[in-house]
Structures are given as structure tokens and as C-alpha cells.
Amino acid sequence: MTLNLTLKVWRQDGPRDAGRFETYEANAVSEDISFLELLDVVNEDLVAQNREPIAFDHDCREGICGMCGVMINGQPHGPLRGTTTCQLHLRHFKDGDTVVVEPWRAAAFPIIRDLVVNRTAFDRIVMAGGYVTAPTGAAQDANNIPVPKANADLAMDAAACIGCGACVAACPNGAAQLFTSAKVAHLGLLPQGQPERWSRVNAMVQRMEEHFGSCTNHRECEAACPKEISIDFIARLNRDYLKAQFKDRRQLLRATDVASEE
Amino acid sequence: MTALDTAPATTTDLDSHVPPGPIAEKWDVHRFETRLVAPQNRRRFEVIVIGTGLAGGSAAATLGEMGFNVKVFCFQDSPRRAHSIAAQGGINAAKNYKNDGDSVYRLFYDTVKGGDYRSREANVYRLAQISTEIIDQCTAQGVPFARDYGGLLDNRSFGGAQVARTFYARGQTGQQLLLGAYQALMRQVELGSVALYARHEMLELVVKDGRAVGVVVRDLVTGAVTSHSAHAVVLASGGYGNVFFLSTNAKGSNVTASWRAHRKGAYFANPCYTQIHPTCIPVSGEHQSKLTLMSESLRNDGRIWVPTNRDDRRSPNDIPPEDRDYYLERRYPAFANLVPRDVASRAAKRMVDDGFGVGELKNGVYLDFKEAISRLGRGVIEQRYGNLFDMYRDIAGEDPYRVPMRIYPAVHYTMGGLWVDYNLMSNLPGLFVIGEANFSDHGANRLGASALMQGLADGYFVLPATIAGYLAGQLGQPPTPTSAPEFKDAEDSVRERVNSLLGVRGSHSVDWFHRQLGKTLWEKCGMARNADGLKEAAREVGDLRQRFWQDVRVLGENETLNQSLEKAGRVADFLELAELLCQDALHREESCGGHFREEYQTPDGEALRDDERFAYVAAWEFKGDGAAERLHQEPLDFEYVHLAQRSYK
Amino acid sequence: MVSRTTPGGGGAVAVPGAHPRQRPRLWLLDFYGTAVGKKAVMAITGIVGLGFVLVHMLGNLKIYTGEQHLNDYGEYLREIGSPIIPETGTLWLLRAILIVAVLIHVHAAWSLTQMNRRARPTGYQGPRRFVAADYASRTMRWTGVLLALFIVFHLFDLTWGPANPNFTRGEPYHNLVESLSRGWVAAIYIVANLLLGLHLYHGAWSLFQSLGWNNPRFNLWRRYFAIAFAAVVVAGNLSIPIAIVSGAVD
Ligand SMILES: Cc1cc2nc3c(=O)[nH]c(=O)nc-3n(C[C@H](O)[C@H](O)[C@H](O)COP(=O)(O)OP(=O)(O)OC[C@H]3O[C@@H](n4cnc5c(N)ncnc54)[C@H](O)[C@@H]3O)c2cc1C
Ligand code: FES
């Protein structure tokens, strides 16, 4: 089975340039190819016509690296639930469809070129505290601390995040709550993550808010997430953040320092 | 390379620096004898790490923790996206948590045997020793490994192993391990001990007085070409499977970093050892851009078969058992569907070549879960493989719970890579190579779930210990200034190359060339090879390479993000590597592991090694464009594992 | 873009569009300074609001038990706690809490809106298709603004009187009937209550998320609660203008 599609693709030469939609026809493409392969096909055509190909990010093409991701007809990663752009196949489109393709839009994700954005802000959130401090060599035997299977499974649900940015792209507020909460929950659910639990959530929330909008519980992120990560983790983040105000010893110590200085 | 028909110029001068003594004590003794760098001196050393996969990420984080000044580079937009993220199945470790007779020695033995006796015993033994520490380390970082109801870690058995020693995190083990390393790395970035350069590609290694002293990189966003100097350079840039165009590797995986180092003098070892993975989704059409792996664990419960009649057009569910050929079970009764990768792959190829292939393009074999589903129930299968089944359905458009999957082998991993000694240092002092980029521990064939183990062993434990020994000798010496002529020359050659790629303005896209290259290699230097085919392939590749430089069309400019330009540079290097690959495959007149020469097989079609002539590592030295590469041999001694014909009957 | 740090240099990975926040020192202000904190505060002030609208609605239902009853109720509100607490003391305390809650609620909403605008200065250029965000959640800020305007009108109408030509102090029943007998006023009340319903429908669910009250045991019930709460309050409130306009109460 083949299809004919009309693509309206956002083209932008550089971070500071104005962009525009350009229209391309993709004729008789197989319904078995993925959306990125469709862009490959369009790009081959463009190159043949001596026009510069569309820049888009991708790497694994297996839905795991989180590199790909564009707005397809107004939805991050397109219409199919729980799917990355690279795993979206054309059989989910109809012959004759017009497909609008646009990059993620958020202040924290500035456009580099065409459909490519800079997602370094996500790395910065992790830098602030998205880890367990466990220098190499210091570990005890892995089976010394049992972890209830249910907790480990839930932690894995949260850890499945691929950092693609669809949650931010989907959020009407440009918030990164789902991304941040997934990491906070993953580590917070495991015994290994407990010592830094409260300082972690404080630091990560603070860093997140330097870049992103605020969560007002629209639930768009959950619907857009290719790994179907639940907003329950956002509730958990909020709860941990509230508790951290009373439990983050690092901050409490600082509070007493401040008091004694004054 | 001109002299394909004559034997390569050969020397046997390679010193692997394997320490003396009983194998179980080598690593301890070696660590004790290796010089150290005192904590207060570490910040006086600069180390460059290329790559943020399991190997590079873990190395950079660990070196940062130790106090070295580290610069780490990757071409993706974040270290977390390195190709390692895609590994599904698991990671081996000799923990013996299942009490099923596993031990360090058994993991060592299995790996040497699985590698078809073409690996260095001492390295493999060390790998097996360290494997247990990796699991401890990763668990401490919060990697959510699968657990049993009692809260302890779970294991499964994996491709070719008769013990359950594989640790896993659902079908996303690589992702979780990489995120663990990434998080540790980002902590160091925040602390300032590691400087991170994402979207930067290393395009040249800088060598001064025979030592690696730095790299030249291109900023993929601005096109700026800059030099970075260090006391040591660590390459962790992954494997070169994408030389075949279609492979299970991430699209960006490439050989450029290794190849550039090779051209500067680092030996490239065993390039012909490429691994084909038996369970991938078959090609569906001409626009296919990559192949998708279905975890090997599927073979634990799925049965592989083809119809006995070549022209059977019935839907698989309508084909009765008597018309099915469960060919693995028939030929290998002991291991059946669980034979090692190379054996399973070649068997599938043989079926398809003989016309028994299934699917519209007759290019696959069935992997059938019907029996497992009726025996264990759909729920169990869903729990074990749910995400894989979903992935298959998304890609193939068929429901594997009802119709058998179609699978076919695909290029997956490369055992070959830059030659390193026991310290993971290449023949160029100061250049260390870790992870899939080196040739190290897997011999001619890698066992399932051992690449993750090796990458992390190298990065967390081996390199941090051995690099100190090299650095200690340089205490007090500042790194070479980037104003040195060696850096300027390297920068110039990078710019010149970029300009010539942009200047060709030919008629075919980069992808076109890459596809051609892949086709030639897959057909003539893929799962099965023979002398005539290899010579032909080498000629075709040579022609294609010439044509590339006259006819490639790379549009745009250097000063912006230009993905065609990135690809062009990588394909140019693949074209050079491909010739060496053919040459290596041609010179190795035996079949072993992933390298199968049709001329060298047993009467029933099994690989036939020639230990008399070929029990060595073939390390190739670049001698200039157009000149034949020189072969350096590192003989392999097997003191502990006895050379034997592999048999999985 | 590159993410880069200088070795030993504190790790500033530069990202355009970052808004590092100067942290004030007072803990509560500090907490309120974060968006997560503001949302928690909005949830708590929202709960105050929920309590108020519910009690307000229940009190108003006394209109159905007769004029005397409603007027007595109004009088009672002034006298809660008396004589220990001076007359109208409690009422003012409650009013103060309510006013402060509303002001904080509005301030937080306003400042989060600013933050969210900054977070996406350039919107999507193609049409955007929402799949989970419902009408209520996406219009919170507008229903909020309209409700605020309505409250002002409502106060002028029934508390202070200028918007009500036949206002008599201390006779709420009379004032209510007089005001709502005007068709356009009844219409405003009806529309405003529908908006209130939308606001409550999202708010009464959202507050659980914001405060992290989340558990698989009752997650589904949070939604039921929000629906039921919004429906009860709106139905109770709407019944009054309808009853008055239709002449069932006069
Ligand atoms: C689909 C799939 C499944 C697999 N499953 C398993 C499994 O279950 N178990 C197992 O043990 N193994 C598995 N493997 C193999 C394993 O994943 C890899 O061998 C391993 O992850 C390689 O890690 P690495 O760190 O060496 O390199 P990579 O992860 O490939 O990282 C390479 C890094 O180098 C960088 N880089 C490369 N070139 C340059 C350059 N020129 N300049 C700058 N940076 C550069 C990249 O940006 C990247 O960060 C699987 C492989 C595939 C393809
Ligand atoms: S390309 Fe890796 S997730 Fe799509």
C-alpha cells in the first residue's frame, strides 16, 4: 500500500532567523515506512533538486534515545499514543492527508535549525540533583538492600523517560514537570535514593523553574509522552517538594545559619 | 589498497603487556604494580574522552570523581543519547545469585569459547572478575534492575548461556545503565570536574612525537573547528556496524573517531569480526533506514521454523506441524533455538538462500510463540516480552500474539576495533580505547549481554586504574599547547576536508553512496564470505570511494548545523574502513565466530577454524593513502581454555 | 548549541531563556517563590474557596424555607461567637481569611501566567490539537478573571447595594428577590455560576495533584469528587435565580 501526502514543514535557517512553512509533496510512499523515513524520502528529493534537506534530530530510530521528536499535526510525536516520531508509521495516515510538521516550541528549547531544538535545559535539571551520589568503587553487594518488587517496578516506570521533550512541547504552559518528576520519582522510590531525596527535589525543582513554565495540571504531557509516564509522578513530586521544606536538612541547616548570622 | 592478491606485509611485534602470573591474580598484581597519581596531583592532568556511551560516560564520570580534569565530547545533543541506550536484553555478571553453578571462571570460559578462541585470555578473565562489581556499582546508582518478590535481583539466561547470569531492567537495560552513568557524569559536570561538549564531533587525533596529545573537533552547530589538548585521549566512540548501512546501530554510530586515529598510527584490529544478530525484523522496502533488533531473549520461548515446502503460500497459522521445519531444533538438539548468534544467523540465511524464506519478500523465518502462549498463558508472555511485542506490532503492522513474528539476521555489533594492550592503551602512547571501539574481549564473536559488561568494566574500573600508570610518568609536564604546529596542521586538514566535501557538488546524495556501500558489503562481506566475493567487494568499494569524492552532493555550508556534511564525513571514513574490512576478511583463511568463509567449513556447514595459522590478533597499520596496510600479529596463547571445535549439537 | 563548562569553573551550562531566581530569605516567601509552592498555595486557598462556595450555597438554600429563615441566618452570621467575640467579629475574621485567600489565589495565578508566557514566547504556528487538556483546564485563567469581576458585581449588588435599586440593609431575602427579578441580572448569575462550575470542575481535581494527594486507591475518586462538588454547588446556586425568575419564589 502506498500513500500520497502533502507536508507542510517548518524551515528555519538558524536560531535567529525567521522561519516559514514550506510545502512538499510525498508521492507513492509505502505505508510501512516510518515518519522519519518519510522525511528521508523528502530530503532525497530536495537534494536531487539542489535544495537543502530538512534538518531533524534522530539517532536510534527505535524509540529509546529520545533524540527525535517533532509536532505532527499539532501533536508531539503525532497522533499515535505512546509512540515516538521514529516509531510512527505511515499506516496511521490516510492517502491525501496534509501533515503539518513543526519543532518543539519553548523558551528553554531554542530552535537551532528547521526541526532541531536545543534541549540542554533537561541536562541542567539532571545536573542539579538527578543522581545518586555513589562514586565508583564505593558500592556494597547489590543484594544487600532488598527492594520490594512493586517499588522497583514503579521506579522503572518512572525511569523509562527518554528525555525527548514531548511533555514540554505538549504542555500549554511549557512546563517540564513530567520530565523532572519522573527522575525524582525513580530515585525517590529506591532505597539508594533516600539520603538525597529531599535535597534532590529542592534542587531539581529550583533548576527546572529557571527554564520552564509551571504545571497547572492540564495532563497534556501524559497524553503526549511516548513512554506513557503517569502524572501520578507529578503529584509525587509536589508531595516530596512540600515535605522537603521540612525535611531537607541541608536547607534547614542553612536556615539556622542564617538565623544565627542575623 | 592495491595488493589484495599478495599476502600482506607482516610482523609479530605487538606486546600486549599482559602481566605474568596465574590468571586469577594478574589484575590484582598489575594494579599493585601500576604507578598511581596522588589525589592532590590529579587536577593537574587533562584527559579527553570521546563518547558518552556506557564506556565513555562511565569513564568520564569516574575520572572526574577521582579529581582529573576531564573534557568529554559526543555528537548527540546530550550524553544520555549515546547508542548504548538502545541495548535491550541485559548485562552479564558472574554473581551466581541463582546458585546454578556460575562463577568467574565459568563466565571467563564461556566468553573465550563463545568468542571462538580469538580473544586474549587475561583480558577476558579480568572482565569476568569485574563483572560482579559492575552490578554493585549500578545498583548503588539507582539502576532499577528487575527484582524477585523477595526484593532481590532477578536473572535470566541469555543467548547461548546455560546459566542465568543476565541482569536486566525490563527490555531497557542499556537505557537504565546508561542513565546511571549519565547521571554520575552530570553530577561531575555540575561540580566542574568534567567539561561537557555535546554536538561536537572529533574529526582528528593529534599526535606529537608518537604520543596522542589531543583532538580537533567540529562544533556541529556553528561549524567552528577547535583544538583540545590533554595528557591522554580516551576513545569510547562505539562500533562501526553502520558500515553496512542497514544495521541495528543508531543512525549516527560511526567509525570516524577510530578511523582518524588509525590514520594517525593506531592499529586497527580484526575489522572482519562483525556480528550478525539473528532476531531482527526483516527489511520491508527500499526506503528502510535501519533495522530493528528484537531482543534475543525471545528465543527463550519462541520456536523458529520455516515451511518445508518452498512455495507454501498459506498463512503460517494454517500450516500444520508436519509441513513445518523447526530447523534449529532439528540440527542442534542440545541447544535448539538457543544456539549462539552466529550459528542461528547462518542457519536462517541458509534457509532463506535456499528459498524457504517467509513473508512477502521471502526474506525471513518465523519465530512462533503460539505454543508458549498456550503453555504459559498470554499474561506471562506479555509480562516477559510485552514491550517487544508492541514494538514489533508498531513496525511490522502484525500482531505477534496471533501471527508468528518474522525475523532475519542483521548486522549488530563489531568485535573488531582499535588494538589495545592489557592497559586498554593502543600502540600510540596516550591513546586509550574502551568499549565497542576497541577490539578487546570478545574474540571473533560476542556473547549476548556481554557488551554492556565490557563497556562498563572498561569505563568504571579498568581504565581509571590503568590510565594513572601512564599519566604518572607525565607529572609536571603541561599539556601540549594548542598552538603547536601539530594542532594547526590537524585543524587545517579538518577544514580542508570539510571544504572539499562541500566543494564536490556532485549528483548523488551521501545516503545514496552509503546504501551502495552497504549493499556491497552485506552481499559479499556479510554473514558468509569467500575469496572471490571479497576481492570483488574490495574493488567495488575502492571504485565507490573514488566516485564519492567526485560525485557526492553535499549542500549547505559549514557554518550552520549541516547534517549532510556530518554524514558525508562519516561515510567517507566508512568507505576507507570497508576496504580494510574486506582485506582482513580475505587474509583470514578460516571461519571463526562472526567471520564465516565459505571455503572453510565442516561437511555439515559449521565454521572451521585454523588454529595453526590464525590463532592471532590481526592488527593493521595504516601506511598512507593508496598503500597497503601492514599486518601486525599478536599471537594468542590459550593456557586455561583448551582450543576445541565449538559444538552446539 | 553547545553545552559547555570550563574545567573547575562551577559548571554553568548556558541555556538561552533561563531565568535564575534570586532567592529571598524568609522561608515562606522562599517557598511561595517557586511555582510548585505557588501551586500548593493556590490549592490551599482554593480549598478555602471551595469551603466558602459550598457553605454559601447551602446558606442560600434557606430562601426556600422562607424569608424569616434566610434573614435570621444572615443575622446569625453576624453574631457567631458573640458575646465572647464582639458582634460581626467572627464574620470579619472569616471574611478576612476569604479575602486574603482570594487575593493570594489571584496573585499566584497571575504570576504563574506570567511565568508560563515567558516559557513559550513564540507559540505554535500550525494548529495545535489538544487531547487531554479539557476546556475547563485551558480556560481557568479566563473563568477566574470573569469570576473575580462577577464577585465585585455581586458585592455591589447584594452586600453593599449600589447595584441594586431596591436595596435594604439587613434584608437579604428582599434584596435577593428584588435583584434577581431583573432578567439580565438573573442571566449574569446563571452564566457566572456555569463559569464557577467549570472553574470548580478543574480546580477541585487539580488541587489533589498540586498538594500531592495521590494514591491509586482514590485517584479515580478525585475526579468523581470534582464532578460532584461542581455539580452540587452549581445546581444549588442556579436553582435560586431560576426559582425567582420563574416566580416559584417571590
Ligand atoms: C539494538 C541493540 C541492542 C543491544 N543489546 C545489547 C544487550 O542486550 N546487551 C549487551 O551487552 N549489548 C547489547 N548491545 C551492544 C551494546 O549496546 C554496545 O556494544 C555498547 O553499548 C557500546 O557502548 P560504547 O560506550 O562503546 O559506545 P556507544 O554507546 O556507541 O557510544 C559512542 C559514543 O561516542 C560518541 N562518538 C562517536 N563518534 C564520535 C566522534 N567522532 N566525536 C565525538 N563523539 C563521538 C557518540 O556520541 C556516543 O556518545 C546492543 C546493541 C544494539 C545495537
Ligand atoms: S530516534 Fe531515538 S527515539 Fe526516535
Side-chain angles (χ1 to χ4, degrees):
Chain A
M1 276 281 288
T2 63
L3 324 162
N4 300 318
L5 296 172
T6 304
L7 287 169
K8 281 177 70 183
V9 181
W10 186 259
R11 301 301 304 265
Q12 179 171 333
D13 297 336
R16 265 165 230 91
D17 296 295
R20 73 261 164 216
F21 279 112
E22 286 189 7
T23 305
Y24 310 111
E25 302 294 332
N27 291 328
V29 286
S30 158
E31 63 164 20
D32 286 329
I33 67 174
S34 72
F35 199 83
L36 295 186
E37 286 165 345
L38 172 69
L39 293 181
D40 289 342
V41 171
V42 171
N43 276 347
E44 283 289 300
D45 274 2
L46 287 173
V47 172
Q49 300 164 32
N50 256 321
R51 294 160 71 191
E52 278 194 57
I54 306 160
F56 62 92
D57 259 337
H58 66 107
D59 200 20
C60 73
R61 298 206 176 189
E62 281 188 17
I64 191 74
C65 74
M67 190 104 175
C68 70
V70 290
M71 297 296 282
I72 301 172
N73 282 340
Q75 280 179 266
H77 294 301
L80 203 63
R81 245 182 197 260
T83 312
T84 53
T85 305
C86 57
Q87 293 288 285
L88 174 67
H89 285 71
L90 296 193
R91 61 182 85 89
H92 302 289
F93 293 87
K94 285 198 300 293
D95 190 34
D97 276 356
T98 296
V99 184
V100 182
V101 187
E102 203 180 342
W104 295 164
R105 295 211 186 256
F109 291 169
I111 296 177
I112 294 176
R113 182 164 205 199
D114 296 344
L115 304 174
V116 177
V117 300
N118 175 358
R119 285 169 289 201
T120 305
F122 270 5
D123 292 325
R124 296 224 338 126
I125 295 178
V126 175
M127 279 162 65
Y131 47 74
V132 172
T133 299
T136 307
Q140 56 178 335
D141 186 273
N143 258 352
N144 271 1
I145 309 178
V147 182
K149 180 170 164 47
N151 281 27
D153 285 348
L154 193 59
M156 182 63 220
D157 287 345
C161 168
I162 59 174
C164 63
C167 47
V168 174
C171 177
N173 307 334
Q177 235 79 4
L178 195 62
F179 171 81
T180 310
S181 69
K183 190 47 60 193
V184 167
H186 158 209
L187 300 174
L189 278 159
L190 296 172
Q192 289 81 5
Q194 296 312 307
E196 290 162 296
R197 180 164 173 191
W198 312 113
S199 57
R200 174 184 307 119
V201 67
N202 265 331
M204 288 180 75
V205 163
Q206 196 185 329
R207 184 66 59 80
M208 170 181 80
E209 293 188 357
E210 288 174 16
H211 300 286
F212 294 94
S214 75
C215 172
T216 58
N217 304 320
H218 286 295
R219 291 152 55 234
E220 274 297 313
C221 52
E222 180 184 57
C225 176
K227 298 295 145 186
E228 303 186 274
I229 290 172
S230 163
I231 54 163
D232 290 354
F233 295 125
I234 298 183
R236 205 187 147 82
L237 169 85
N238 293 337
R239 185 165 68 232
D240 271 14
Y241 185 73
L242 291 178
K243 287 191 190 164
Q245 304 316 309
F246 302 92
K247 293 192 170 190
D248 179 359
R249 297 249 159 234
R250 267 209 253 172
Q251 221 182 47
L252 294 180
L253 279 179
R254 214 178 314 128
T256 40
D257 283 352
V258 170
S260 58
E261 265 170 38
E262 280 166 357
Chain B
M1 269 131 277
T2 47
L4 270 188
D5 296 313
T6 54
T10 306
T11 31
T12 47
D13 57 347
L14 279 176
D15 185 353
S16 60
H17 298 115
V18 171
I23 197 156
E25 288 162 28
K26 283 182 197 287
W27 179 230
D28 274 348
V29 172
H30 187 66
R31 273 193 294 180
F32 177 70
E33 288 178 350
T34 300
R35 295 179 63 189
L36 301 172
V37 177
Q40 73 278 11
N41 286 332
R42 293 184 192 150
R43 70 191 148 73
R44 294 158 68 181
F45 289 102
E46 303 277 340
V47 180
I48 284 173
V49 179
I50 304 295
T52 57
L54 285 180
S58 58
T62 304
L63 293 173
E65 284 163 4
M66 291 167 76
F68 294 104
N69 268 319
V70 182
K71 281 185 183 179
V72 64
F73 298 82
C74 66
F75 64 77
Q76 292 94 343
D77 71 337
S78 162
R80 65 180 291 154
R81 310 210 196 277
H83 162 63
S84 297
I85 199 116
Q88 303 168 348
I91 176 168
N92 287 332
K95 281 283 196 187
N96 194 28
Y97 282 161
K98 290 280 170 186
N99 196 28
D100 55 2
D102 200 11
S103 63
V104 167
Y105 200 87
R106 185 178 296 280
L107 176 54
F108 154 68
Y109 184 93
D110 286 355
T111 307
V112 172
K113 177 182 173 214
D116 221 356
Y117 309 94
R118 288 293 174 265
S119 44
R120 200 186 278 151
E121 278 189 338
N123 282 50
V124 178
Y125 195 89
R126 175 177 65 188
L127 177 64
Q129 279 176 310
I130 290 176
S131 67
T132 59
E133 286 175 68
I134 297 173
I135 302 303
D136 300 341
Q137 177 61 30
C138 295
T139 303
Q141 288 173 342
V143 169
F145 284 121
R147 289 178 183 266
D148 254 334
Y149 286 98
L152 303 179
L153 292 166
D154 192 22
N155 295 111
R156 60 183 171 206
S157 83
F158 206 73
Q162 288 175 307
V163 290
R165 63 158 77 99
T166 304
F167 293 78
Y168 63 101
R170 290 207 189 131
Q172 292 118 283
T173 316
Q175 179 197 29
Q176 294 311 316
L177 295 173
L178 183 61
L179 291 181
Y182 158 75
Q183 289 162 198
L185 175 63
M186 294 320 276
R187 178 168 163 261
Q188 294 307 310
V189 174
E190 177 87 5
L191 292 172
S193 57
V194 175
L196 166 66
Y197 296 78
R199 289 201 200 269
H200 276 68
E201 183 164 31
M202 167 193 157
L203 293 178
E204 210 53 88
L205 178 75
V206 180
V207 178
K208 184 168 185 284
D209 306 328
R211 287 171 180 266
V213 295
V215 296
V216 173
V217 300
R218 179 173 173 271
D219 180 333
L220 299 180
V221 175
T222 64
V225 172
T226 49
S227 288
H228 300 265
S229 160
H231 293 92
V233 176
V234 181
L235 292 190
S237 48
Y240 53 88
N242 273 348
V243 68
F244 290 87
F245 185 70
L246 285 181
S247 84
T248 62
N249 286 13
K251 290 293 286 175
S253 298
N254 68 86
V255 77
T256 290
S258 302
W259 192 257
R260 294 284 120 196
H262 175 57
R263 290 178 59 101
K264 285 287 174 76
Y267 300 165
F268 209 114
N270 299 335
C272 78
Y273 292 161
T274 53
Q275 184 171 71
I276 313 287
H277 194 287
T279 51
C280 303
I281 303 178
V283 175
S284 71
E286 52 160 342
H287 292 305
Q288 185 130 1
S289 61
K290 79 156 282 183
L291 295 170
T292 303
L293 178 113
M294 305 301 297
S295 166
E296 184 156 37
S297 57
L298 289 172
R299 289 200 277 147
N300 288 340
D301 286 306
R303 294 181 70 194
I304 295 177
W305 62 276
V306 292
T308 47
N309 176 359
R310 287 189 177 80
D311 302 312
D312 202 328
R313 297 246 166 250
R314 285 177 289 181
S315 118
N317 287 331
D318 296 338
I319 300 180
E322 60 274 18
D323 293 342
R324 298 176 178 195
D325 179 9
Y326 293 91
Y327 58 88
L328 286 178
E329 297 170 22
R330 172 168 58 81
R331 283 169 56 187
Y332 308 100
F335 281 72
N337 292 299
L338 291 174
V339 291
R341 295 176 168 180
D342 53 331
V343 178
S345 299
R346 271 196 304 279
K349 177 180 160 61
R350 200 202 275 180
M351 289 331 237
V352 169
D353 286 351
D354 289 350
F356 293 100
V358 302
E360 212 170 304
L361 304 173
K362 287 178 84 61
N363 62 352
V365 299
Y366 288 128
L367 177 60
D368 199 340
F369 289 87
K370 190 162 194 159
E371 202 185 283
I373 290 173
S374 58
R375 179 165 40 96
L376 303 166
R378 182 178 160 130
V380 174
I381 296 297
E382 217 171 272
Q383 208 188 352
R384 284 189 193 162
Y385 312 111
N387 63 330
L388 296 170
F389 276 43
D390 291 348
M391 187 156 98
Y392 181 85
R393 198 195 44 226
D394 283 349
I395 294 171
E398 289 170 355
D399 178 5
Y401 290 105
R402 289 191 292 126
V403 198
M405 286 184 182
R406 285 174 295 114
I407 54 161
Y408 195 63
V411 176
H412 174 58
Y413 181 86
T414 51
M415 283 73 67
L418 293 180
W419 183 86
V420 289
D421 65 7
Y422 189 72
N423 292 315
L424 303 182
M425 188 161 83
S426 74
N427 58 302
L428 291 180
L431 178 68
F432 291 79
V433 190
I434 59 177
E436 194 176 339
N438 71 21
F439 88 104
S440 75
D441 306 351
H442 307 294
N445 176 52
R446 172 176 70 81
L447 291 181
S450 285
L452 302 182
M453 168 172 76
Q454 180 227 333
L456 290 179
D458 289 1
Y460 281 133
F461 297 105
V462 182
L463 177 92
T466 59
I467 201 171
Y470 174 76
L471 293 174
Q474 298 191 50
L475 190 61
Q477 296 170 18
T480 312
T482 52
S483 55
E486 287 79 3
F487 278 99
K488 290 298 148 208
D489 291 349
E491 280 185 28
D492 288 345
S493 82
V494 167
R495 291 200 186 93
E496 201 176 301
R497 214 168 125 83
V498 165
N499 289 337
S500 33
L501 285 169
L502 288 169
V504 181
R505 299 270 158 176
S507 55
H508 286 295
S509 70
V510 179
D511 276 354
W512 185 88
F513 283 97
H514 199 174
R515 274 179 203 276
Q516 299 297 316
L517 172 66
K519 222 191 268 168
T520 300
L521 281 191
W522 179 242
E523 276 163 18
K524 298 178 178 143
C525 192
M527 245 184 295
R529 304 151 173 183
N530 61 54
D532 290 340
L534 287 168
K535 285 180 196 163
E536 242 173 73
R539 248 191 319 277
E540 283 175 30
V541 171
D543 292 347
L544 192 66
R545 183 157 62 91
Q546 282 195 338
R547 186 155 173 209
F548 177 86
W549 284 100
Q550 290 157 4
D551 197 25
V552 72
R553 178 180 287 182
V554 183
L555 301 175
E557 50 200 39
N558 172 47
E559 287 71 23
T560 56
L561 180 74
N562 185 338
Q563 295 173 326
S564 314
L565 180 62
E566 294 166 26
K567 274 194 281 192
R570 293 172 194 162
V571 171
D573 289 332
F574 276 138
L575 282 162
E576 293 182 16
L577 164 76
E579 283 191 54
L580 182 63
L581 210 167
C582 294
Q583 185 181 14
D584 186 45
L586 185 63
H587 112 281
R588 188 168 282 280
E589 294 173 335
E590 64 163 348
S591 294
C592 58
H595 171 65
F596 188 78
R597 283 283 297 267
E598 286 163 350
E599 305 96 312
Y600 309 100
Q601 49 181 310
T602 61
D604 47 357
E606 302 305 328
L608 193 61
R609 281 197 331 266
D610 183 346
D611 296 327
E612 281 297 288
R613 291 174 60 212
F614 290 103
Y616 63 77
V617 177
W620 299 88
E621 179 187 3
F622 184 76
K623 297 302 260 180
D625 283 310
E629 299 225 356
R630 184 179 189 83
L631 175 64
H632 298 259
Q633 297 179 351
E634 179 201 331
L636 294 170
D637 299 321
F638 294 91
E639 274 183 73
Y640 295 87
V641 185
H642 291 293
L643 285 166
Q645 181 74 36
R646 275 195 318 171
S647 169
Y648 292 94
K649 298 249 160 188
Chain C
M1 283 308 242
V2 313
S3 62
R4 140 177 320 164
T5 61
T6 41
V13 176
V15 185
H19 302 277
R21 197 158 30 78
Q22 302 296 317
R23 308 207 94 203
R25 276 191 167 171
L26 234 169
W27 171 74
L28 259 177
L29 284 181
D30 203 8
F31 174 70
Y32 185 73
T34 65
V36 177
K38 281 200 184 73
K39 278 299 284 179
V41 169
M42 281 189 81
I44 291 165
T45 52
I47 292 172
V48 172
L50 291 189
F52 171 75
V53 292
L54 183 69
V55 172
H56 189 48
M57 183 276 290
L58 290 175
N60 286 350
L61 290 185
K62 293 193 189 295
I63 190 174
Y64 296 114
T65 52
E67 180 161 3
Q68 193 57 41
H69 218 143
L70 184 70
N71 289 353
D72 286 353
Y73 170 64
E75 196 48 37
Y76 161 73
L77 287 180
R78 296 168 198 277
E79 288 172 4
I80 304 174
S82 127
I84 297 170
I85 298 167
E87 186 138 319
T88 75
T90 309
L91 184 61
W92 272 111
L93 183 70
L94 291 174
R95 278 180 178 159
I97 292 175
L98 189 64
I99 290 168
V100 169
V102 168
L103 288 180
I104 295 179
H105 198 80
V106 169
H107 176 264
W110 175 80
S111 103
L112 291 177
T113 304
Q114 293 308 102
M115 176 179 185
N116 297 342
R117 290 245 162 87
R118 272 204 308 272
R120 182 171 291 130
T122 318
Y124 288 103
Q125 307 295 299
R128 173 85 173 85
R129 194 177 295 168
F130 291 105
V131 284
D134 50 35
Y135 189 74
S137 78
R138 280 184 288 128
T139 51
M140 282 304 270
R141 79 178 58 122
W142 304 120
T143 50
V145 168
L146 291 172
L147 284 173
L149 291 176
F150 168 75
I151 291 169
V152 173
F153 170 76
H154 182 53
L155 292 174
F156 275 100
D157 181 25
L158 293 179
T159 309
W160 302 321
N164 187 348
N166 296 319
F167 187 78
T168 316
R169 238 192 123 66
E171 291 191 15
Y173 185 92
H174 164 81
N175 295 339
L176 190 60
V177 175
E178 283 298 320
S179 179
L180 287 180
S181 319
R182 298 171 291 173
W184 64 274
V185 174
I188 288 181
Y189 274 83
I190 290 173
V191 170
N193 271 296
L194 292 175
L195 295 178
L196 176 66
L198 277 179
H199 206 84
L200 291 179
Y201 169 76
H202 182 69
W205 171 80
S206 175
L207 68 89
F208 289 96
Q209 278 291 111
S210 298
L211 291 173
W213 293 341
N214 165 289
N215 192 303
R217 278 255 183 278
F218 61 72
N219 277 353
L220 209 57
W221 290 94
R222 302 183 307 178
R223 187 43 89 194
Y224 298 157
F225 167 75
I227 294 173
F229 190 91
V232 166
V233 169
V234 172
N237 281 348
L238 281 185
S239 72
I240 296 167
I242 291 172
I244 293 174
V245 170
S246 67
V249 169
D250 55 13

